[in-house]
Amino acid sequence: NYYTQSLCTPSRAALLTGIYPFRTGMQHSVLQPNDVYGLPLEYTLLSEDLRNKGGYDTYHFGKWHIGYFNEAYTPNYRGFNNSYGYYNGMQSFYNH
């Protein structure tokens, strides 16, 4: 059986780490603009492995939504060579 999360933050955390969100602490809800936490830095992301071990160029496009309160939590510091998008949810092409 395969399972997915019903919210974007837990889903993104699971996809990028390969670990269930309840193990990373990201299972409860989506991150809000003033939250001061994110996907813990102790977890290696798929993007980091692809870049560092596989030699790939990695790109993030779209919504991040797994933490950005500190620069170390942003895509460019989590294994992405380039990032184009927004950090939080509730954005669209018309209101960003």
Side-chain angles (χ1 to χ4, degrees), residues 18-30:
I19 300 171
Y20 283 116
F22 72 88
R23 299 212 182 269
T24 62
M26 301 300 288
Q27 75 275 15
H28 296 294
S29 185
V30 297

Side-chain angles (χ1 to χ4, degrees), residues 22-95:
F22 72 88
R23 299 212 182 269
T24 62
M26 301 300 288
Q27 75 275 15
H28 296 294
S29 185
V30 297
L31 290 175
Q32 299 300 316
N34 294 327
D35 286 343
V36 291
Y37 71 97
L39 182 61
L41 299 176
E42 66 191 76
Y43 295 102
T44 302
L45 303 188
L46 175 62
S47 54
E48 294 173 294
D49 280 343
L50 287 172
R51 184 179 72 182
N52 298 336
K53 295 179 182 175
Y56 288 90
D57 284 333
T58 53
Y59 297 85
H60 163 257
F61 292 98
K63 181 170 69 169
W64 180 243
H65 217 190
I66 57 171
Y68 59 91
F69 74 99
N70 181 305
E71 193 172 44
Y73 287 79
T74 60
N76 292 110
Y77 292 88
R78 300 299 302 263
F80 289 98
N81 296 98
N82 293 293
S83 176
Y84 181 78
Y86 36 91
Y87 291 152
N88 206 4
M90 302 188 71
Q91 302 287 324
S92 75
F93 293 110
Y94 303 106
N95 70 358

